[in-house]
């Protein structure tokens, strides 16, 4: 089985570490069980036809090969454990392949990298997770997407981090673009699962049309302010930039302000397609112990084509967005053309658990971006969550109320989600 390959590789790395005196070896990982159920389309909560579940295993090893040279490897495996035969009809992860009624187990190496540091400069190459505003690993689901990339990080300039990335491959679903006959057909697809994060079998394909270049600068010279500027270039596909500033307002302790602006400009074979533009503002308050409050607003230009969301996963449907207003569960709306979004968030960390209340309202989102006529889709989401750790076990229970024009025949629906993660 593929899982044996993952475990064997990790074992081989550990044996090699002992044989060749690799220093600072650390082994870590986690085992997850995620469950989802809703009452859409006249279904009932907890019924098999409206439920999904998955399990996942991650095992990682890091160590030092020599002075200033380190490595890392992490294997991922997912399995329904046969739950689709009894309790659920769907999977959580889109990495599963389904032949008839048979749901495959899948395993892959999600991280395999080597890094070298000289002074304040680090070069990292191989397979890894990435985090930039428009190409990033979505870690909210049971298994993240990752990249085959080269990353350069420099901190010689005081209070400044310079980042350069070339990402040639990704295992995110639909990482190329739209499939409507105007833009190229994606090379990595999946129609299974809830999350739309990984392609079938978590296989790697070209990121963007011919790979992507990312450059970023993060500056904290004025201590209350963290300013970011990012440039993103998908070869033969699009240029983009992202500006962001987050300020701790010193005149009122606990007050936080944020602003974002981004623009995605299609090019090459996408020439003539409208730019995607968006801005967002956020006001937060953390002046009361254990309490975090925030209100955010975002607006996406009505002529946008690419969604202002992850360009490495399912941008056409439900990729996660880095805009302040992103919803708790219903991804794909906030970054859509003409979306005007309000998000209100309250989180309280008590002795009992960490509680969260999240409200997201999206108005007049043009969901089918290249369809004729263009259709407006409104969405309202209310989410409640409770998170508690019991030693190495992290648990989250969430309730989500969704009222969207394109779901459940336009009627309100309810979902319940359970997240269990055992860290080791």
């Amino acid at each position: 089985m593929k899982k044996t390959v993952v475990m064997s590789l990790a074992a081989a790395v550990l044996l090699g570490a002992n044989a060749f005196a690799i220093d600072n070896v650390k082994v870590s990982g986690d085992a997850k069980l995620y469950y989802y159920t809703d009452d859409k389309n006249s279904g009932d909560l907890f019924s098999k036809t409206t439920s999904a579940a998955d399990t996942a295993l991650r095992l990682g090893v890091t160590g030092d090969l020599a002075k200033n040279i380190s490595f890392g490897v992490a294997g991922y495996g997912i399995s329904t454990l046969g739950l689709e035969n009894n309790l659920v009809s769907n999977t959580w992860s889109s990495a599963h392949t389904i032949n008839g009624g048979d749901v495959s187990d899948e395993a892959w190496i999600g991280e395999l990298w080597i890094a070298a540091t000289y002074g304040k400069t680090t070069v990292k190459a191989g397979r890894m997770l990435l985090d930039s505003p428009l190409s990033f690993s979505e870690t909210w689901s049971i298994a993240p997407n990752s990249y085959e990339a080269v990353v350069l990080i420099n901190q010689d300039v005081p209070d400044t981090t310079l980042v350069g990335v070339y990402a040639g491959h990704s295992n995110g679903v639909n990482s190329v673009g739209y499939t409507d006959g105007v833009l190229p057909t994606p090379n990595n697809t999946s129609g299974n699962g809830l999350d739309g994060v990984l392609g079938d079998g978590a296989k790697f394909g070209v990121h963007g049309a011919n790979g992507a270049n990312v450059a970023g600068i993060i500056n904290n010279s004025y201590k209350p302010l963290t300013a970011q500027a990012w440039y993103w270039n998908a070869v033969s596909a699009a240029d983009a930039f992202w500006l962001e500033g987050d300020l701790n307002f010193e005149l009122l302790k606990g007050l936080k302000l944020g602003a974002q602006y981004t623009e995605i400009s299609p090019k090459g074979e996408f020439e003539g397609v409208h730019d995607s533009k968006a801005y967002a503002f956020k006001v937060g308050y953390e002046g009361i112990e254990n309490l975090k409050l925030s209100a955010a607003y975002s607006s996406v230009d009505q002529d946008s084509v690419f969604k202002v969301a992850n360009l490495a996963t399912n941008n056409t449907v439900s990729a996660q967005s880095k805009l302040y207003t992103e919803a708790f569960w219903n991804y794909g709306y906030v970054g859509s053309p003409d979306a005007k979004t309000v998000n209100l968030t309250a989180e309280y960390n008590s002795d009992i658990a960490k509680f969260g209340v999240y409200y997201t309202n999206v108005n007049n989102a043009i969901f089918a971006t290249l369809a004729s006529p263009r259709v407006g889709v409104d969405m309202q989401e209310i989410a409640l969550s409770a998170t508690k750790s019991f030693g190495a076990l992290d648990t989250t229970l969430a309730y989500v109320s969704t009222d969207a024009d394109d779901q459940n025949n336009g009627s309100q629906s309810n979902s319940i989600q359970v997240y269990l993660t055992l860290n080791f």
Side-chain angles (χ1 to χ4, degrees):
M1 291 178 63
K2 293 181 180 179
K3 285 185 177 180
T4 305
V5 175
V6 176
M7 299 300 289
S8 298
L9 177 58
V13 172
L14 286 173
L15 289 173
N18 292 329
F20 295 101
I22 297 175
D23 296 326
N24 198 29
V25 175
K26 295 181 180 179
V27 180
S28 64
D30 53 62
K32 297 179 178 180
L33 170 62
Y34 285 7
Y35 173 80
Y36 169 93
T37 186
D38 65 39
D39 59 3
K40 294 179 183 177
N41 304 316
S42 301
D44 296 321
L45 288 171
F46 306 110
S47 69
K48 179 182 177 181
T49 57
T50 61
S51 301
D54 245 327
T55 65
L57 175 67
R58 179 185 66 85
L59 181 62
V61 180
T62 60
D64 294 331
L65 297 172
K67 183 179 180 180
N68 298 325
I69 299 178
S70 59
F71 77 94
V73 57
Y76 294 79
I78 56 171
S79 175
T80 65
L81 297 181
L83 292 172
E84 76 279 2
N85 295 319
N86 300 289
L87 299 177
V88 301
S89 293
N90 199 2
T91 66
W92 190 289
S93 175
S94 55
H96 293 284
T97 57
I98 300 178
N99 296 314
D102 183 30
V103 180
S104 69
D105 293 348
E106 299 293 342
W108 65 97
I109 302 302
E111 300 170 54
L112 183 60
W113 53 264
I114 186 170
T117 299
Y118 180 77
K120 295 184 178 181
T121 300
T122 298
V123 178
K124 184 176 180 180
R127 190 172 287 187
M128 67 193 78
L129 306 185
L130 291 179
D131 188 15
S132 68
L134 292 171
S135 288
F136 57 93
S137 298
E138 296 192 30
T139 57
W140 61 273
S141 190
I142 199 163
N145 58 300
S146 54
Y147 302 78
E148 293 175 343
V150 178
V151 178
L152 174 67
I153 299 174
N154 178 271
Q155 294 179 311
D156 281 318
V157 179
D159 302 313
T160 301
T161 299
L162 303 175
V163 182
V165 180
Y166 172 72
H169 294 91
S170 168
N171 62 354
V173 61
N174 290 339
S175 60
V176 171
Y178 291 81
T179 58
D180 51 22
V182 176
L183 304 185
T185 300
N187 62 0
N188 196 10
T189 61
S190 174
N192 308 316
L194 291 177
D195 60 13
V197 171
L198 292 165
D200 284 340
K203 296 173 183 171
F204 283 77
V206 177
H207 176 42
N210 294 292
N213 303 293
V214 181
I217 179 171
I218 304 170
N219 181 268
N220 189 224
S221 297
Y222 175 56
K223 296 308 177 186
L225 175 67
T226 299
Q228 305 181 50
W230 294 85
Y231 168 73
W232 185 90
N233 163 249
V235 182
S236 302
D239 290 312
F241 66 85
W242 180 286
L243 304 176
E244 181 173 334
D246 296 284
L247 176 69
N248 291 325
F249 196 67
E250 293 184 316
L251 296 180
L252 179 59
K253 184 179 179 180
L255 181 64
K256 298 178 180 293
L257 305 175
Q260 298 170 322
Y261 180 79
T262 186
E263 187 169 326
I264 306 171
S265 302
K267 66 177 184 179
E269 54 197 312
F270 299 171
E271 197 70 43
V273 178
H274 284 289
D275 291 358
S276 297
K277 304 176 183 178
Y279 64 85
F281 299 103
K282 181 178 181 179
V283 178
Y285 182 67
E286 300 179 13
I288 301 175
E289 186 177 6
N290 297 326
L291 179 65
K292 294 183 179 181
L293 303 172
S294 68
Y297 174 81
S298 68
S299 176
V300 182
D301 187 80
Q302 65 179 357
D303 292 325
S304 297
V305 173
F306 284 105
K307 290 187 178 182
V308 180
N310 198 352
L311 292 166
T313 56
N314 204 353
N315 186 271
T316 59
V317 181
S318 58
Q320 188 180 29
S321 175
K322 289 283 192 177
L323 292 172
Y324 295 132
T325 51
E326 182 58 288
F328 178 90
W329 175 252
N330 287 280
Y331 299 152
Y333 295 89
V334 168
S336 293
D338 202 38
K340 307 294 188 293
T341 305
V342 172
N343 177 277
L344 303 176
T345 294
E347 295 178 334
Y348 182 68
N349 198 354
S350 72
D351 293 335
I352 300 174
K354 178 182 177 181
F355 297 100
V357 180
Y358 311 90
Y359 171 78
T360 306
N361 187 76
V362 186
N363 286 320
N364 196 28
I366 302 175
F367 204 73
T369 55
L370 292 179
S372 180
R374 292 158 73 94
V375 179
V377 177
D378 295 342
M379 190 279 292
Q380 179 175 268
E381 175 192 279
I382 300 172
L384 309 175
S385 71
T387 299
K388 177 73 173 179
S389 293
F390 301 90
L393 179 64
D394 297 333
T395 67
T396 296
L397 176 65
Y399 162 78
V400 180
S401 170
T402 302
D403 191 352
D405 292 342
D406 64 330
Q407 294 188 43
N408 197 37
N409 297 314
S411 299
Q412 183 269 348
S413 64
N414 307 284
S415 70
I416 294 174
Q417 301 157 27
V418 179
Y419 304 76
L420 302 176
T421 301
L422 179 64
N423 302 290
F424 51 86

